[in-house]
Amino acid sequence: MATITLNGTVTLDESLGLQTGGVATGFEDNNDSDVALSTLQAGAAPFYSRLFDATELGLSTSFAIQNGVAQSASN
């Protein structure tokens, strides 16, 4: 079992739209680190390569199949 330790704070911001203004309002926090989905999608392939490419970390792609993984509720 893995243990996760947070050294700081975590904000779950479920407000609509991207908050990038740098000023807190009644509808958002002021960390303003939101990015568009396309930004995350653009980073998916390089991240995958970093994890599984033999010249990088070289993790096994069968890891999740062999060990199982956690998933949030899908409903």
Side-chain angles (χ1 to χ4, degrees):
M1 174 170 296
T3 300
I4 298 173
T5 303
L6 298 176
N7 295 315
T9 61
V10 174
T11 302
L12 175 59
D13 180 357
E14 295 183 343
S15 55
L16 295 175
L18 297 178
Q19 288 84 53
T20 57
V23 177
T25 69
F27 304 107
E28 65 177 82
D29 56 23
N30 66 348
N31 66 10
D32 298 328
S33 58
D34 292 0
V35 295
L37 176 59
S38 59
T39 301
L40 298 177
Q41 290 170 326
F47 180 65
Y48 185 89
S49 293
R50 173 85 170 114
L51 293 176
F52 303 109
D53 191 310
T55 61
E56 295 285 342
L57 294 175
L59 300 177
S60 170
T61 56
S62 63
F63 172 80
I65 295 168
Q66 295 174 352
N67 296 299
V69 295
Q71 175 182 334
S72 296
S74 59
N75 59 359

